[in-house]
Amino acid sequence: MTSTDTTARSGAPPTWRDSWRFPVFVFLGVLAVLLVVVQVSHDHLSPEHPRTGPDISDAAFYGGWMQYDTGWYVYLAEHGYDRHQVDLFKAGDMSAVAYFPVYPLTVHEVMRVVNDDPVLAAELTTIVCGLGVMLLFWLWCGRHLSARARRTALLLVALYPYAWFLYGSGYGDALFITLTMAAMLLLERDRPVLAGVAGAFASASRLIGVGTVIGLVAITLQRRNAIVRTDHAEDDPPRHWWSGWRLDRSRLRGRDAGVLLGFAGVASYCVFLWARTGDFLAWNTVQSAPGWNQGTGPKTWIKYSFFAEVLRGSPGYGVRLVLQALLCLAFLIAIPFVFKRFGYGYAVYTTVILAIPLIGSSSFMGFGRYLLAAFPVFALGGEALAERTSPRRVVLGTSALGLLVLASFFGRGFYLS
């Protein structure tokens, strides 16, 4: 049911709150506030660590957004995966090969219209993509939620405490989510080939883009009702809920295979890395370099670093990790409810989107922004709060306050996600 359907049935004329103007207004309003908060914090409040020299965050008016991994993306936008980065990788050091190419390539193209300023190009790319996230999420919610739930869900995303990654930071999250949302909407409109193309760009922008493609496959199967259960006699029911299921290929159409094009993105980057470094999985290998120390293995899977930092590390840093771990837990708990409300396709997507960083992260650092891609959970939250006025105000108010505080700390160079 769309919001238009809802207002029509209630007899009330549609208002600006039910049109595309609502997400645009919300995004621009939050953007205006955060632009001031981040830059004032950067220019006038104490940073977490004293600056030791020139940095890309020194750029006037918008430099406060350019923290941490932004430096890698800006380097790639200017120089690409050059010999210097390959040499760093082969020496076992941190290297830009860890970062997927779509965002820096996009920034490189935007540089053409901003006088070759990579920092400004990164800022503008994220702002435009952040607006794209809001508009596409608005469209998606219009297909699944009531008008009030749709507005609440959008506000949950716009005011999410880590949503500053949608408003100007030099990270690729906003672009990735835009591509993912576009792929999902194209698939829902029965354009599986175009959805697969969008999925390919998503999987070439971040590793969790693999989750986008797996989600597209699962949603395709759900839309075609292609997962069926073998009939059993009433006196011989299946022993387990997971038994007796099979794929009925006769319900699928040939063009549904178009969603598999999504794997071409990550596959292309792996082939490129093999040609440049001799390692198909260089983006994974480099994670264990000194300074990142994110190699895969039992210590990573059991979150050894998380417990070590919380129990023996800096209390301030431990709080950051605990906050993100709790958010991750809340989103994991929501997955069965996503299944019940939106079907197994979106439940599979949400599960994989969370599982990939869960396997690869040793401390939950970064989960604050990773969860932005789990948009079905935000939709679920919007529906749960839509008719509960007091809880909605408390949740949105608390979330907005968290966004202002964390954005301020981010502008000051605190390592938050």
Side-chain angles (χ1 to χ4, degrees), residues 75-330:
Y75 183 96
L76 287 172
E78 290 188 282
H79 308 289
Y81 301 90
D82 58 9
R83 172 53 57 184
H84 175 59
Q85 296 301 322
V86 173
D87 289 343
L88 286 173
F89 169 76
K90 292 184 176 180
D93 296 325
M94 293 184 291
S95 167
V97 299
Y99 298 90
F100 281 47
V102 169
Y103 178 70
L105 282 173
T106 304
V107 172
H108 178 78
E109 294 304 312
V110 175
M111 286 170 57
R112 300 176 185 271
V113 298
V114 292
N115 198 29
D116 290 328
D117 183 342
V119 178
L120 179 58
E123 168 104 354
L124 292 177
T125 299
T126 296
I127 290 175
V128 171
C129 290
L131 178 57
V133 170
M134 296 299 174
L135 289 169
L136 292 172
F137 184 60
W138 181 254
L139 290 174
W140 186 88
C141 288
R143 301 173 66 89
H144 297 273
L145 304 178
S146 69
R148 186 187 295 270
R150 184 192 203 187
R151 292 192 295 269
T152 305
L154 184 103
L155 290 172
L156 285 174
V157 173
L159 301 176
Y160 174 64
Y162 291 87
W164 78 80
F165 285 100
L166 304 179
Y167 293 99
S169 70
Y171 281 66
D173 297 82
L175 176 58
F176 165 73
I177 300 170
T178 298
L179 292 167
T180 295
M181 291 295 307
M184 299 299 182
L185 281 168
L186 285 166
L187 184 58
E188 289 200 0
R189 296 184 179 190
D190 203 25
R191 299 291 187 272
V193 175
L194 292 178
V197 172
F201 281 101
S203 72
S205 63
R206 288 185 60 190
L207 175 61
I208 62 173
V210 173
T212 300
V213 187
I214 294 174
L216 290 174
V217 173
I219 294 167
T220 298
L221 297 176
Q222 177 184 322
R223 292 178 68 246
R224 303 300 188 205
N225 294 315
I227 303 297
V228 298
R229 198 167 197 177
T230 304
D231 293 332
H232 292 271
E234 292 185 4
D235 59 350
D236 185 27
R239 294 184 178 181
H240 306 288
W241 65 266
W242 61 82
S243 63
W245 296 98
R246 63 182 178 86
L247 173 64
D248 184 353
R249 288 180 291 182
S250 66
R251 301 191 179 194
L252 296 171
R253 303 174 186 176
R255 59 194 181 92
D256 289 336
V259 297
L260 298 176
L261 291 171
F263 290 111
V266 63
S268 297
Y269 185 47
C270 289
V271 171
F272 169 80
L273 288 176
W274 175 76
R276 293 289 290 160
T277 70
D279 186 345
F280 275 104
L281 301 179
W283 50 265
N284 181 64
T285 304
V286 77
Q287 298 297 326
S288 59
W292 281 334
N293 304 312
Q294 289 282 349
T296 56
K299 290 183 67 175
T300 298
W301 301 333
I302 66 172
K303 303 296 178 280
Y304 173 84
S305 294
F306 170 76
F307 292 105
E309 291 287 352
V310 171
L311 297 176
R312 301 197 303 267
S314 164
Y317 190 72
V319 169
R320 305 174 210 181
L321 296 181
V322 170
L323 175 59
Q324 295 180 80
L326 290 175
L327 284 171
C328 176
L329 177 62

